[in-house]
Amino acid sequence: MYKLYVRIVFSLVIIIVALPFFYFKNAETVNVTHLKNTVYQSAMEVVGSIEASKYTPIKLSYPVYIKECFISENSYVNKGQLMFTIDIDKMENVVKEYNFTEHLVAEISMDKSVIMGISEEIYASGSGVVKNLTIAEGSVVLSDEQICIIESDDDMLVKLTINQEDYSRVAVGDKVSFSPDIAPERIYTATLNKKTAQIRKEKTLTGNKTVVDVFADIDTIDDYIISGLEISGTIIKPFREILTLPYEYIGQDENGEYVKILINGSTVKKYVETGTEMEGSVEILTDFDKKTLFIKNNQTVKGNSLIKYEY
């Protein structure tokens, strides 16, 4: 009788010990994790050019004939330097042949001496480099037509061209690392300034696209920082903390991206908004409690599921 009792007890012990093994043998392992705090610094590739931060447009308030031109594109001029002369004789002949009857009828006084009293010589109003020169000897310049600009060589800045979609991603104070295309081994830094951004159309192989020009102050200027040079660079954003999940924890259907979370032992599907994409993970913009458990690979928690936490 005692031996039978021992056998029964032994068998029960074996069954009790084996039950969890058989139960968990058929259980599915469900991997879960929390949102992870990730330190992130974004960067944006840009192209642009170096230009003067200050320039003076050269215009005349009256139409003239250019007699001689003493400047050329990209030449340097000093303040007070002779730039070009006006052909007064040619202008006199034009005025003599002009019929002023319509002005007399309108009771408008047209004193030819006013036109003839203009200076024959035009001098530079500031020092700098001549850019956008539009005249030549013998050409006609209309009233308020820009003849050229004189770029100040005292200070330079970087004009950066970015896509319209990326404009919202940059801000005053962002750092820029760049190199002139003629000297890619030289690295310079600059800081985006408050100068008003310029929106314009740019031709591409597939048509026109809208781009935005933003401006940055160069931190250190040397002989390689010359107006007109093309540059390539990167806008570097400040470090910031973001909440991320591995891509395996995110699903997608016709309604958008979603995650599955574990609530009181049950699986709940929730649509999310994602942000910055990184290698292996993506930013989660939707608010979640920091204790929320996210389920991997679109799995479903069942009664006999084993929960395994992934760090």
Side-chain angles (χ1 to χ4, degrees), residues 5-15:
Y5 175 76
V6 172
R7 288 177 181 177
I8 293 174
V9 172
F10 182 75
S11 299
L12 288 174
V13 170
I14 295 297
I15 293 172

Side-chain angles (χ1 to χ4, degrees), residues 186-255:
R186 303 185 69 87
I187 307 297
Y188 299 86
T189 58
T191 306
L192 291 188
N193 62 29
K194 296 180 179 179
K195 184 175 180 179
T196 304
Q198 299 174 357
I199 301 174
R200 59 184 175 85
K201 295 288 186 182
E202 188 176 75
K203 289 185 177 180
T204 67
L205 294 176
T206 57
N208 290 333
K209 71 174 182 178
T210 301
V211 296
V212 183
D213 291 328
V214 296
F215 302 88
D217 297 318
I218 304 171
D219 296 332
T220 303
I221 295 177
D222 60 19
D223 292 340
Y224 286 85
I225 302 299
I226 304 171
S227 176
L229 286 184
E230 300 295 319
I231 65 98
S232 300
T234 305
I235 296 178
I236 305 169
K237 301 291 290 182
F239 284 100
R240 63 187 180 97
E241 279 195 358
I242 61 177
L243 296 173
T244 64
L245 275 179
Y247 288 110
E248 294 85 359
Y249 284 82
I250 301 171
Q252 186 168 8
D253 59 21
E254 65 277 4
N255 295 318

Side-chain angles (χ1 to χ4, degrees), residues 99-166:
N99 185 356
F100 289 95
T101 304
E102 59 182 279
H103 299 285
L104 295 174
V105 171
E107 297 183 355
I108 299 175
S109 175
M110 293 296 293
D111 189 350
K112 298 180 184 180
S113 64
V114 174
I115 300 176
M116 295 302 107
I118 62 178
S119 173
E120 246 184 290
E121 300 172 330
I122 304 298
Y123 298 91
S125 56
S127 299
V129 179
V130 176
K131 295 286 185 179
N132 302 337
L133 183 63
T134 60
I135 64 166
E137 293 181 0
S139 62
V140 179
V141 178
L142 301 178
S143 174
D144 287 328
E145 179 182 352
Q146 182 171 287
I147 298 173
C148 65
I149 62 173
I150 299 177
E151 290 188 343
S152 170
D153 60 348
D154 294 333
D155 198 12
M156 296 288 173
L157 52 73
V158 178
K159 180 175 72 174
L160 303 169
T161 302
I162 60 178
N163 294 327
Q164 184 181 17
E165 298 78 13
D166 291 331

Side-chain angles (χ1 to χ4, degrees), residues 45-83:
E45 300 300 318
V46 291
V47 295
S49 60
I50 298 171
E51 63 178 41
S53 60
K54 298 177 182 178
Y55 63 88
T56 303
I58 304 299
K59 299 180 180 179
L60 299 177
S61 58
Y62 40 82
V64 297
Y65 284 94
I66 301 300
K67 185 176 183 180
E68 291 181 284
C69 183
F70 301 100
I71 58 175
S72 59
E73 185 74 11
N74 296 318
S75 63
Y76 187 89
V77 295
N78 291 301
K79 184 176 181 179
Q81 179 178 329
L82 179 63
M83 298 176 67

